Amino acid sequence: MSSQIRSRANSKPQGSQQDPDGRKKPEDMTPQTHQKSRLDSLTAHRKPTWTWMAAAAGSAILSLLITLVAFESFSVIGFGVIAGVLFVGSMYVVSRVLEDRLKATDELWRHLVWTSFIVALIPLISVIWSVVSQGLPTLISNPGLLTADMAGVAGADDIATQNEGASLQGGILHGLVGTIMITLMASVISIPVGLFASIYLTEYGNRNAFSRGIRFFVDVMTGIPSIVAGLFAFAGMTLIVELTIGSSPQALQSVKTGFTAAIALSVLMIPVVVRSTEEMLQVVADELREASYALGVRKWRTIMKVVLPTAMSGIASGVTLAIARVAGETAPILVTAGYVAMTNWNPFSEWMTALPVFIYRQLINPTAPAAGDPSTARAWAGALVLIVIVMGLNLAARAIAKYFAPKTGK
Amino acid sequence: MTSTSPRTKNTARTTSAVGDKVFFGLSWTGGAIILVVLAFVAAFLLIRSLPAIMPETFGPGADEAIDFWSYVWPLMAGTVIVSVIALLLATPIAIGISLFISHYAPRRFANPIGYLIDLLAAIPSVVYGAWGMLVLAPAMVPIYHWLHNNLGFIPLFAGDPNVTNTGRTLMTSGVVLAVMVLPIITALCREIFLQTPHLQQEAALGLGATRWEMIKMTVFPFARAGVISSIMLALGRALGETMAVTMVLSAGGFSWSLVTSGANATIPSEIALNFPEAFGQRQAELIAAGLMLFVITLVVNVIARAIVNSHAKKAEGLS
C-alpha cells in the first residue's frame, strides 16, 4: 500500500509535465536542457545506486578478518552478526554524509526491519531442518518404527543398536494411538460444548450479563497454562475417585487414564473453539436470519438450516486449528495419563502414552541411559511425525476455509 | 420463546416450539459449562493445595511440612525472569517483522511471509524443547564463555563456581521461549498495524515524511495499546510454557547468574519434572505451585484483555 503511495508521490513531477488540457508547459519547449537540469537536481543529494553493494562487500571482508583474528575458531554466527552490524552502520554513515539525516534515519530503520525478519527466519529454518534431517533418515531406514511400540524393548537392545549396529528396536505406535484417542476424546467433549456456547453468545445472548460473563471467562480460559489444565483434570478426577471408589493406592492409580488427559485438553480446546466459531457466526449477515424469520421459520431451524451452513467452512477450519493445537500438547498429558510402553486403545482404563510425551521421555530418560543415541533417534522420528500431523491439520484448516467457503451468489 | 397460539396449533408447530426450547436449553448449557469448568479449575486447585499452603489446619502439621512460601518464591522468580528475557528478545524482532509484513515487504511476499511466521506458532512445544536441548544449547556454550570471560563482573554473567558446559541455562530457555512467543506478538501487531487509517498515512507521506517518519507519526500512536496488550498476552503464554523450559533448563534453586546450569527452575518445569512421581504432601505442594502460576497468568491476561477492550471501544468511537 504505502510503497504505491511512495511511487505515486515520486512520479508526480512527471505527471504534471502535461496540463490537463494537453497544452505544453513553457519549460517543456526545451526538453533537452530541462531533462538534464532536473536529473542533476534529483541526483545531487543521492548516493549512487551501487553503494549498498560496496558496503556489503566491504562489511563481509572486514568481518571475515575480525572473526579470523579475534576468535580461536571461525564461527558462522560471529561472522554474520559482525557483518550485519558493519553493513547497517556503514550504510547509515554513507547516507548521512552523502544525503541528509532524515533519509539516513529512514534507511537505518528499513535495514533494521529487514534484519529482524532475517533473524526470525533463522530459528524457524533451524528447527525444521534439525527435525527433518535427524528424523527422516531414521524413518526411512526403519519404517517399522511406525508399526511397533516399546513393549519388550530393554536397555540391552539399545546398547546393541549403538555399539554393534543392530537394527533399531521399538517404535512410536503406542504414542500415535494415544495421541489419536486422547485428541478424539477431547474433540468429542469440546466441539459440542464450544459450538453451543458460541451459538448462545451470538444468537441468544444479546449482550446480557450472562453472555458478557461467558465472553470474559472464555478470554480467561484462553490464558490458562497448559500444565494447570492438567493439574485441574488430575485434581478433579482424584476427588471423584476418592468419593466414589475410595482412597486406596490402587484406586488413586486409576485416576491416570486417557480420559483424564482428554478432560485436561478440553479445558484448553473449548475457548479456542468458542472464539473462532463466535467470530464466524457474527459474520453471517443479519439479512439472512431476518429473511428466514419472515418466512415463518423457527429460530432453531433458522440457526440449523441458515446460520450454521453459511458459517460452516469457517467453523470447520477453526475447529481443525483447535484440534491441531491440542494434538501437540505435552504437559497436560504428562501429568494425567502416565507413561507406558504398550499400545493401549482404551482411554477409560490403564495408562496411555501420547506422542509428545513419548518424545519427551525418550530424550529425558533414554531407554538405555548408557546408550542414548537410539532413544534420541526415536525421539526425532517421533517429532517429525508429530510435526507432519500438526502441520497437516493446519494446512487442512486453510484448505477447508478456502474451498468450502459459501458461495455468495452475487 | 414465543408460544404458539391455540388457533393455529398443529403437530408440526408444536414440535417446532419444543425444538426451539430444546435448542435454547442446549446452547445455554454450553455456555454454563464453561463457567462451571472455570469455577471447578479454581476450586479443585484450591482444595488440593490447601495442605501445602496451610499445613497447620489442613495438612500434616507445621513441623512435618516445608514452608511453602520459601519453597515457591525461587520458582516464581525463575518463571518471571525467563519470561522477561523471552519478551525482551522477542518484542523488538516481532514488531520489526510486523512492520516488515505490513509496510516494507513487497506486496506479493507479505502474505506468504505471514503464513511462514504462523508456522512457527504451529510447531508443538515439545519439538521446540528438543531443538533447544539438542541444537541450541550446545551452540550457546561459546557465547556464555565469552560473556563470562569479558563481562564476568556483572552478576548476570558471574557464573561462579563454574560456567555451563552444556548450555542448558535460564538464558537458553529464554531464547527458546522468545522463538515461541514471537509469532503471537507478530500476529497481533500485524493486524493492528494494517488497521492504521490509510488517510492518516497518506497525509503524512503527502506532507513529505519519509516512510519511517510516517510509521512513527501515524502507525505507532494508533497501535500503542494493541502492541502493549499483545506483549502482555505473550507474557501470559511465556509464564505458562512448560515443556520447552523443562527440557532445556537443568533444574536447580535460584541464582542471578544466566550462564550457570542447574541454578534455576520455573513453576511449570518443577511441576512437569516432579508431578509424575509425586504423591501425598509433595503432590499438594506442586498443585499449590500450579495455583500460584494460575493466579499470575490470570492477572496478566485480565490486564491484557482490559487494554484490548478499552482500545476496541476507542476504535469504535473513532470510526
Side-chain angles (χ1 to χ4, degrees), chain A residues 123-148:
Chain A
L124 176 67
I125 294 169
S126 172
V127 169
I128 294 185
W129 171 248
S130 14
V131 172
V132 172
S133 70
Q134 315 227 31
L136 202 56
T138 317
L139 268 184
I140 289 173
S141 57
N142 299 285
L145 274 180
L146 290 174
T147 51

Side-chain angles (χ1 to χ4, degrees), chain A residues 89-158:
Chain A
S90 62
M91 284 302 279
Y92 178 75
V93 173
V94 169
S95 305
R96 192 69 203 271
V97 172
L98 292 181
E99 299 177 351
D100 54 9
R101 191 178 55 82
L102 284 181
K103 274 186 185 151
T105 319
D106 186 44
E107 192 147 76
L108 174 70
W109 283 102
R110 185 159 59 86
H111 285 139
L112 288 178
V113 164
W114 274 88
T115 311
S116 69
F117 167 66
I118 294 165
V119 167
L121 279 186
I122 294 171
L124 176 67
I125 294 169
S126 172
V127 169
I128 294 185
W129 171 248
S130 14
V131 172
V132 172
S133 70
Q134 315 227 31
L136 202 56
T138 317
L139 268 184
I140 289 173
S141 57
N142 299 285
L145 274 180
L146 290 174
T147 51
D149 56 25
M150 293 296 286
V153 179
D157 296 314
D158 275 4

